[in-house]
Amino acid sequence: MTGQSGTITDNNTSGGNGIGTSRANAGTAAGNLPSSGGDAGNIGKSAKPRKQGGNHVLRKLKTRQISMIALGGCIGTGLFMTSGGTIAEAGPGGGLVAYAAMGVMIYFLMTSLGELATNMPVSGSFAVYSSKYVDPALGFAMGWDYWLNWAIAGATDISTAALLMQYWFPKSPGWVWSLTMLVIIFCLNAFVVSAFGETEFWLALIKVVTIIIFIVVGLLMICGIMFQPAVGFKNFTYKGGPFIGGLPAIMGVFLIAGYSFQGTEVVGVTAGESENPTQAVPKAINNVFWRIILFYLLSIFVIAAIIPYTDPNLLGASDSNIAMSPFTIVFEKAGLAGAASIMNAVVLTSILSAVNTGAYASSRMLYGMAKDGYAPKFLGTTTKRGVPLAALITTLCIEALAFSSSIFGPKFYMWLVTATGLTGFISWIGIALSHFRFRRAFKLQGHKLSELKYRAKLFPFGPLLAIVLCLLVICGQDLPGFASGNWGELLATYFSVILVAILYFGFKFTRHTHIVKLADMDVSSARPEVLKKQAEASTK
């Protein structure tokens, strides 16, 4: 761990052998690694997984699994439970505008990630890209912050799962259900990555089918086929609609919409274990735009058309009050018996999917950091089946500790949840910045864009838009706290930002890292650990 990143950066900035010779590696600029933790090599489009583990994850995720992971990745409890709140706060038009603007940003962000992930498919994903294309200190900071966020988010989700189970079993102790879910998640992730992929495929399919049914039923109600008289579009202009509260209200909803899309970046992590990343990742990325249109905008449209924005139930939905979900309300208006119980089951599967994805993403992030010398070496080992078991167990132990803090100290637990709220936006900035610098270096060093196996659209507009909007969301996260001078509240809100700054500058000053120069940047598919070995070999 010691000195590794500093060596990488020093060679990058000085144009050292094996690292600053990107032009000589033009043929491998869009190549794949045989595994996301190992050697660089000339591998075909579909690299065969290694038959032995020990230090490498294996490429066993199928294209259909990755596509469904991407398709269901941003469908969490936010859409099912709190989407009605955006309409109540900004009106039907304001809600649609906010989700549409965020959706456009997410699409460009995912195309940026797609270009990076097909060029260098690794489990460490954007933390590795930040190290290689920006500064090793940034990769170190982003990796640890992202891992901590998923660990705490997992604790929140298993607590929520307990509340949902108590809907059916009100007298049962909640910790039993939380512990049961934790054991299930361990079993799904501990043996082989294909078990995770297949589970996510079916869990995502449940969410997708539910939303499609909801949209179809809603449109039939609007047209008067399932509901008489026809609902029509009168609620869009009801009491001053469709825009309520002006631009400030839309900005407030914009923040909420951003949280709804967090998790879409996980598709970049799956590239490290995809059987065919050059095919699977672009296919999944290209589905993002249509997913946003179908799942979010049409769902918000249906809710806004059927439920007036003044309905107090739109603000009453919570994990412990499933009956107030806008999905439940619409299904009940359509005459669907047992709508609350059905939606409770759907939200439960959504939470299981979120915890499962979180365990996968965080364990791979921790594994990737260990491979690059940013975490203890034992976390960079795998089982014979290619599972980073040490990283997985460490992550789930932290989740259990965070969950136990809710039992012994509810205030501290809520502070943890609030403190990690901005991590997703920080990760998105890292992705956009890495892609912006990678593409500039790629062209500066004489490469042709045709060498890339996937090319992000509308560069540099896409990554710049993502950076600006994410900064806007972060800066506007707690305007009331700034106005009132509530420093305790501001500390909790911006803890993720402060943590990243401490990790970044602490690592930078202790390891003496530097921002990688564009002319010396290695744009091949080799990860930093391989570059370090090449540099060491060249000096012998």
Side-chain angles (χ1 to χ4, degrees), residues 203-214:
L203 290 177
L205 186 61
I206 292 173
K207 294 185 287 185
V208 169
V209 169
T210 300
I211 294 175
I212 292 175
I213 293 174
F214 172 79

Side-chain angles (χ1 to χ4, degrees), residues 5-6 9-10 13 134-138 140-141 500-516:
S5 60
T9 311
D10 291 340
T13 55
V134 184
D135 187 335
L138 182 62
F140 174 83
V500 167
I502 293 174
L503 291 172
Y504 175 77
F505 288 107
F507 192 88
K508 191 174 186 66
F509 293 146
T510 57
R511 304 294 180 85
H512 308 292
T513 67
H514 304 282
I515 295 176
V516 182

Side-chain angles (χ1 to χ4, degrees), residues 206-340:
I206 292 173
K207 294 185 287 185
V208 169
V209 169
T210 300
I211 294 175
I212 292 175
I213 293 174
F214 172 79
I215 292 172
V216 171
V217 169
L219 292 177
L220 291 176
M221 293 176 66
I222 293 172
C223 296
I225 298 175
M226 289 188 64
F227 189 84
Q228 293 295 335
V231 174
F233 306 105
K234 60 181 182 295
N235 285 328
F236 279 93
T237 56
Y238 180 70
K239 288 191 175 181
F243 298 98
I244 305 300
L247 185 60
I250 295 178
M251 291 301 299
V253 175
F254 192 72
L255 304 179
I256 300 173
Y259 285 114
S260 299
F261 288 106
Q262 290 191 16
T264 53
E265 71 283 345
V266 173
V267 68
V269 180
T270 64
E273 292 172 89
S274 168
E275 289 182 346
N276 189 351
T278 59
Q279 177 187 16
V281 174
K283 182 178 179 181
I285 296 298
N286 289 332
N287 286 335
V288 168
F289 177 75
W290 301 110
R291 171 184 64 187
I292 292 169
I293 295 296
L294 176 64
F295 294 161
Y296 279 92
L297 297 189
L298 283 182
S299 294
I300 296 295
F301 175 81
V302 167
I303 294 169
I306 295 176
I307 308 174
Y309 77 89
T310 55
D311 191 326
N313 291 332
L314 288 177
L315 293 172
S318 67
D319 298 315
S320 58
N321 190 9
I322 199 75
M324 294 297 102
S325 164
F327 279 65
T328 304
I329 296 172
V330 170
F331 280 139
E332 287 181 341
K333 285 180 176 290
L336 181 62

Side-chain angles (χ1 to χ4, degrees), residues 298-440:
L298 283 182
S299 294
I300 296 295
F301 175 81
V302 167
I303 294 169
I306 295 176
I307 308 174
Y309 77 89
T310 55
D311 191 326
N313 291 332
L314 288 177
L315 293 172
S318 67
D319 298 315
S320 58
N321 190 9
I322 199 75
M324 294 297 102
S325 164
F327 279 65
T328 304
I329 296 172
V330 170
F331 280 139
E332 287 181 341
K333 285 180 176 290
L336 181 62
S341 186
I342 293 173
M343 283 308 304
N344 194 69
V346 171
V347 173
L348 184 62
T349 61
S350 178
I351 290 176
L352 177 61
S353 173
V355 182
N356 193 36
T357 300
Y360 171 82
S362 54
S363 62
R364 268 54 179 186
M365 184 63 70
L366 194 57
Y367 162 82
M369 289 192 294
K371 298 298 292 185
D372 292 333
Y374 298 159
K377 288 184 178 180
F378 79 94
L379 296 172
T381 60
T382 65
T383 65
K384 290 183 179 180
R385 295 174 180 265
V387 175
L389 191 60
L392 175 65
I393 293 175
T394 300
T395 299
L396 294 181
C397 285
I398 297 300
E399 284 190 19
L401 286 175
F403 171 71
S404 65
S405 71
S406 67
I407 301 174
F408 301 107
K411 290 185 178 180
F412 176 71
Y413 174 70
M414 290 307 300
W415 187 87
L416 281 177
V417 174
T418 304
T420 56
L422 292 175
T423 298
F425 298 103
I426 296 172
S427 299
W428 292 347
I429 291 176
I431 293 170
L433 182 60
S434 297
H435 176 236
F436 180 74
R437 301 193 82 245
F438 165 78
R439 177 72 79 85
R440 289 182 64 201

